[in-house]
Amino acid sequence: MQREAKKLKVGIFDFTDCEGCQVKLVSLRERLLALLERVEIVNWRLGQEKNRMDRFDLVLIEGCPITQDEIDLLKLLRERSTHLIGFGTCATMGGIPAIMDQKERAKWYNKIYGPQYKPRGIDSLPLTSYVKVDFLIHGCPVDENEIVRVMEELLSGKKPAYRGYSVCFQCKLAGNPCRLINGKPCLGPVTQGGCGAICVSGGSPCYGCFGIRDTAQIEGLLDILKGMADKEEIERYFTMFLRYTKEYNEIVRPFMERENG
Ligand code: SF4
Ligand code: SF4
Ligand code: SF4
């Protein structure tokens, strides 16, 4: 008699975020059911009632840890998991919770909630600020095809790989006129592909939510952007999602400081 293959034990956790990436997971529907034949979901607060803390083969984490409780849980999950994957831009780069400049938090809390408000949140930082993360599934929200691709690669014992092309590649395949050629800013050339250039196809620029791709020519793009946007606008593009990336700190920030004299 053939023995049934051992199922991968999976935990899906969420920190501070909008839960939109988990909705993408649910929206896989039949494809999610097919994955569930090969994995055991041990813990998923949003998806099932009975959950347990166990050892996990794979933990997917959505959201940004902003309280000490969330940071402690993240560290515990790292200890208990073989693979830990950031799921969505809030987890991989800080995302929406990190858009605000952290130095301005006190000012905005005071303005919105009043002086009595005592926030529980600390800084909004990506998972990699606290623990080693084995792979990042970027996107705000994540793309369904990317979830399936990464899960399939893990289930077949492979190390998932990042896409080897930029958003521009898929943008060209979609037949969009190029914003940069028409004098409008766009971060497509330095952004990892995989989203299908959905924003540009819908009439918006790319703000880089899939993260900076390897070998991106950021200095070259900054020189091009300088000819079509002022410093504040360039800063706004790069701080929407990329504020906590190594590339922002090592290349874009010094560039902006030089521009500011
Ligand atoms: S990455 Fe975007 S869609 Fe996903 S949880 Fe964060 S804000 Fe929501
Ligand atoms: S519009 Fe943006 S994403 Fe599309 S080709 Fe031009 S630079 Fe690349
Ligand atoms: S076009 Fe850019 S901002 Fe939009 S989903 Fe793709 S990577 Fe993210």
Side-chain angles (χ1 to χ4, degrees):
M1 196 169 74
Q2 209 177 3
R3 281 178 56 193
E4 202 182 326
K6 201 165 154 258
K7 289 185 169 182
L8 222 59
K9 288 189 175 186
V10 175
I12 303 167
F13 293 83
D14 54 280
F15 297 141
T16 298
D17 63 357
C18 81
E19 297 178 349
C21 291
Q22 288 181 88
V23 171
K24 283 286 193 173
L25 193 54
V26 174
S27 71
L28 285 172
R29 304 200 302 186
E30 290 82 4
R31 288 195 289 171
L32 177 62
L33 293 176
L35 285 172
L36 289 179
E37 285 177 11
R38 296 155 72 195
V39 305
E40 179 195 355
I41 307 259
V42 176
N43 197 316
W44 187 13
R45 180 191 62 81
L46 200 76
Q48 61 191 27
E49 285 183 354
K50 291 192 179 153
N51 295 304
R52 55 185 205 277
M53 279 303 272
D54 216 331
R55 260 215 71 81
F56 302 97
D57 296 308
L58 169 65
V59 165
L60 288 178
I61 298 185
E62 181 202 65
C64 182
I66 70 161
T67 65
Q68 192 57 51
D69 289 347
E70 289 179 332
I71 295 165
D72 292 344
L73 176 57
L74 171 62
K75 290 179 178 169
L76 179 70
L77 291 170
R78 176 67 277 184
E79 281 169 20
R80 292 194 178 185
S81 58
T82 308
H83 300 283
L84 187 139
I85 290 189
F87 185 58
T89 300
C90 292
T92 63
M93 295 191 292
I96 300 296
I99 283 178
M100 182 172 64
D101 187 340
Q102 307 294 307
K103 293 191 285 296
E104 306 231 305
R105 284 168 71 103
K107 179 182 97 184
W108 289 109
Y109 280 142
N110 188 36
K111 190 173 170 79
I112 296 166
Y113 301 111
Q116 303 305 322
Y117 181 69
K118 296 210 172 7
R120 285 173 61 227
I122 312 168
D123 282 352
S124 312
L125 299 173
L127 305 183
T128 48
S129 304
Y130 301 104
V131 296
K132 174 177 171 284
V133 179
D134 300 302
F135 192 75
L136 303 169
I137 306 179
H138 295 291
C140 180
V142 288
D143 178 85
E144 285 105 323
N145 294 325
E146 281 295 282
I147 305 173
V148 174
R149 177 183 77 90
V150 171
M151 290 300 291
E152 292 287 357
E153 289 186 358
L154 282 165
L155 284 164
S156 58
K158 285 192 208 150
K159 194 168 177 271
Y162 293 104
R163 297 287 189 184
Y165 50 81
S166 68
V167 170
C168 292
F169 176 71
Q170 290 181 308
C171 189
K172 288 288 104 194
L173 286 181
N176 296 319
C178 180
R179 295 178 58 90
L180 287 179
I181 287 174
N182 290 298
K184 296 180 202 158
C186 185
L187 300 191
V190 299
T191 304
Q192 229 182 88
C195 67
I198 188 169
C199 301
V200 187
S201 298
S204 297
C206 173
Y207 284 103
C209 83
F210 264 55
I212 301 273
R213 67 185 287 251
D214 285 350
T215 72
Q217 299 296 313
I218 300 170
E219 293 92 342
L221 179 62
L222 283 165
D223 281 337
I224 293 171
L225 292 177
K226 242 169 64 174
M228 60 184 69
D230 60 24
K231 287 177 288 192
E232 287 72 25
E233 194 175 5
I234 298 174
E235 178 81 6
R236 186 170 63 78
Y237 269 74
F238 276 96
T239 51
M240 181 80 82
F241 291 111
L242 302 169
R243 190 192 289 277
Y244 292 111
T245 60
K246 181 166 79 63
E247 292 83 357
Y248 176 80
N249 281 300
E250 291 180 0
I251 301 171
V252 181
R253 191 193 295 277
F255 174 91
M256 298 312 298
E257 284 166 1
R258 283 197 301 278
E259 287 298 303
N260 289 330

